[in-house]
Amino acid sequence: MSQETSQTAETQSLTLVQAVRDGLYGELSRDDDVVVMGEDVGENGGVFRATQGLIEEFGDQRVIDTPLAESGIVGTAVGMAAYGLRPVAEIQFMGFIYPAFDQIVSHAARLRNRSRGRFSCPLVIRAPYGGGIRAPEHHSESTEAFFVHQPGLKVAIPSTPTDAKGMLAAAVRDPDPVVFLEPKLIYRAFREDVPDESYTTPLGEAAVRREGTDVSVFTWGAMTRPTLEAAEDLAGEGIDCEVVDLRTLSPLDEETILESFRKTGRGVVVHEAPKTGGIGGEIVATIQEEVLLYQEAPIERVTGFDVPFPLYALEDYYLPEPARVKDAIRDTVEF
């Protein structure tokens, strides 16, 4: 069932984290080869309760509590995927994913190429990511660019409950590894009517959240909401913003990015990761290479800063918020 046809189905009002849980439940029910694994995902139901109740429903052979060893979690999952299972491995926080980096980039991402197609790696690595929840050190990273840079990986980041369920289902069914990053700042920020039935939202397709004619604003994850808020505020000033939620960073939906920029001639990129080496630079470069002659102003980037993610008192100053986004849009439009 595609997301478009699913809109006539029965729905329930879910938060984003509830939609993740619903997506996992649906895939475990649909395919006996799907297993969920990670630290505290079973009896405790996950640190954010994204797997709550799954072990009672599917048993401890399919919802597996693992040791506190991220390299072991992902390494085991790679082997399981190579031999026919579809593991969904949870890393409790993105800041804990680095011990597993070798397994992800040296093995999961390369298995199909290394074996010349004899093996694939249908593996999903879930991780809550990003700041804004007053967490300790190593709990607020937004380092998605590490994984976008690695060929062989898909990188998906939902910003709504409906997309979270549909994109997670698509990731589980994908024949290759997907790093599925969940913006924990909006885990419980709002609710949305989500179809009860199983459906997929295709990876690699951006969503235009707001159509406009004056400037294209590209964003993803938790930054979609402050970007939309800024766009609505600026409408009162006569600035008509188009907001594009990229949803998947690898593969990047270049067609939608370029189509939007051709229409507006101006662009702003908003992401919470540090500016240097961030995906914003890749988006700007793609626009320069492909549609330079449509450009009417420098493309602005509104990002986190090139510093370690700060603790509580400075967290709100680090994250892009509507005022910073509006200033960048005004500068671009008024250039």
Side-chain angles (χ1 to χ4, degrees), residues 88-145:
V88 181
E90 178 185 299
I91 304 297
Q92 274 193 351
F93 292 89
M94 192 177 190
F96 300 167
I97 205 168
Y98 311 123
F101 195 77
D102 179 46
Q103 295 291 343
I104 296 169
V105 304
S106 298
H107 300 290
R110 301 170 193 260
L111 187 59
R112 179 185 291 278
N113 182 66
R114 177 181 289 150
S115 66
R116 297 300 184 260
R118 289 191 301 117
F119 293 97
S120 62
C121 190
L123 161 65
V124 178
I125 302 166
R126 293 180 45 246
Y129 92 108
I133 66 165
R134 306 298 189 261
E137 188 179 10
H138 299 310
H139 291 68
S140 300
E141 276 85 343
S142 180
T143 51
E144 58 269 32

Side-chain angles (χ1 to χ4, degrees), residues 99-310:
F101 195 77
D102 179 46
Q103 295 291 343
I104 296 169
V105 304
S106 298
H107 300 290
R110 301 170 193 260
L111 187 59
R112 179 185 291 278
N113 182 66
R114 177 181 289 150
S115 66
R116 297 300 184 260
R118 289 191 301 117
F119 293 97
S120 62
C121 190
L123 161 65
V124 178
I125 302 166
R126 293 180 45 246
Y129 92 108
I133 66 165
R134 306 298 189 261
E137 188 179 10
H138 299 310
H139 291 68
S140 300
E141 276 85 343
S142 180
T143 51
E144 58 269 32
F146 287 169
F147 301 101
V148 174
H149 191 70
Q150 176 60 45
L153 296 176
K154 294 183 174 71
V155 180
I157 305 178
S159 68
T160 69
T162 300
D163 278 355
K165 180 177 177 178
M167 291 170 65
L168 183 55
V172 172
R173 301 178 198 185
D174 198 282
D176 293 305
V178 180
V179 177
F180 193 86
L181 302 177
E182 300 162 8
K184 58 182 178 290
L185 176 60
I186 56 172
Y187 256 163
R188 294 178 172 86
F190 62 99
R191 290 179 175 271
E192 189 175 71
D193 288 337
V194 177
D196 287 336
E197 294 185 33
S198 178
Y199 62 92
T200 60
T201 301
L203 304 181
E205 295 184 10
V208 178
R209 300 295 184 193
R210 185 185 193 280
E211 294 192 358
T213 57
D214 293 333
V215 57
S216 300
V217 190
F218 305 103
T219 190
W220 56 89
M223 294 299 99
T224 303
R225 284 170 62 81
T227 300
L228 286 168
E229 181 181 335
E232 293 302 323
D233 288 348
L234 288 171
E237 302 178 18
I239 299 176
D240 190 17
C241 301
E242 179 151 299
V243 177
V244 180
D245 176 3
L246 297 182
R247 300 198 293 190
T248 305
L249 300 182
S250 181
L252 194 63
D253 185 357
E254 294 185 6
E255 182 178 347
T256 297
I257 293 170
L258 299 177
E259 180 181 353
S260 179
F261 193 83
R262 287 189 192 99
K263 179 168 63 172
T264 66
R266 294 177 170 85
V268 175
V269 185
V270 182
H271 63 68
E272 67 178 278
K275 184 176 185 178
T276 300
I279 306 304
E282 184 65 25
I283 294 167
V284 174
T286 299
I287 291 171
Q288 298 284 305
E289 290 168 352
E290 300 294 335
V291 288
L292 175 64
L293 297 183
Y294 290 84
Q295 187 169 337
E296 299 183 22
I299 302 170
E300 296 278 344
R301 287 181 285 172
V302 185
T303 71
F305 300 99
D306 292 340
V307 298
F309 194 91

